[in-house]
Amino acid sequence: QVQLVESGGGLVQAGGSLRLSCAASGRTFSSYRMGWFRQAPGKEREFVARITWSSGNTYYADSVKGRFTISRDNAKSTVYLQMNSLKPEDTAVYFCASGMSAFSSYDYWGQGTQVTVSS
């Protein structure tokens, strides 16, 4: 029902910045909130940030607080993740996800975009 496509990943030096985008299509009216997650090799998937479409309320993992900013463009059905002061430990595949309500698990996932931070 909802398709998500991430873009903007790449290779950056430590201390640099990247801006990820997640474009949503399909039955986007069913989406209540959007989240960013990441998974490094050999590690479990971890939560990064989330945002509510209507209010713009945000929440961040402690590991990225103060460095990353999640935002949305409702008209374009697009969510962004601005990543500053990147560290090598930020290296991972980054996924965006869509949730149907404030209480539900995330229901739809993108295929991911690779972020690599070199030291």
Side-chain angles (χ1 to χ4, degrees):
Q1 291 184 355
V2 177
Q3 294 79 46
L4 306 173
V5 179
E6 303 97 333
S7 62
L11 175 65
V12 66
Q13 294 186 72
S17 299
L18 281 174
R19 182 177 181 248
L20 305 183
S21 298
C22 175
S25 61
R27 304 176 72 89
T28 57
F29 61 86
S30 298
S31 180
Y32 175 76
R33 64 182 180 179
M34 299 290 291
W36 284 99
F37 296 78
R38 66 188 183 186
Q39 187 167 24
K43 303 291 180 63
E44 293 186 343
R45 183 180 63 195
E46 66 172 335
F47 166 80
V48 176
R50 67 170 180 257
I51 189 168
T52 301
W53 281 111
S54 58
S55 68
N57 287 348
T58 60
Y59 184 78
Y60 298 91
D62 287 342
S63 60
V64 305
K65 194 173 298 181
R67 300 188 298 120
F68 291 10
T69 302
I70 187 171
S71 61
R72 91 289 198 212
D73 186 330
N74 296 63
K76 296 180 179 179
S77 297
T78 300
V79 175
Y80 306 94
L81 185 68
Q82 178 66 45
M83 306 185 293
N84 298 326
S85 301
L86 283 162
K87 306 173 181 179
E89 50 263 46
D90 294 319
T91 295
V93 177
Y94 283 70
F95 300 88
C96 65
S98 171
M100 298 297 103
S101 77
F103 312 106
S104 68
S105 300
Y106 290 90
D107 305 290
Y108 302 97
W109 296 81
Q111 291 185 306
T113 185
Q114 177 71 47
V115 172
T116 302
V117 184
S118 62
S119 59

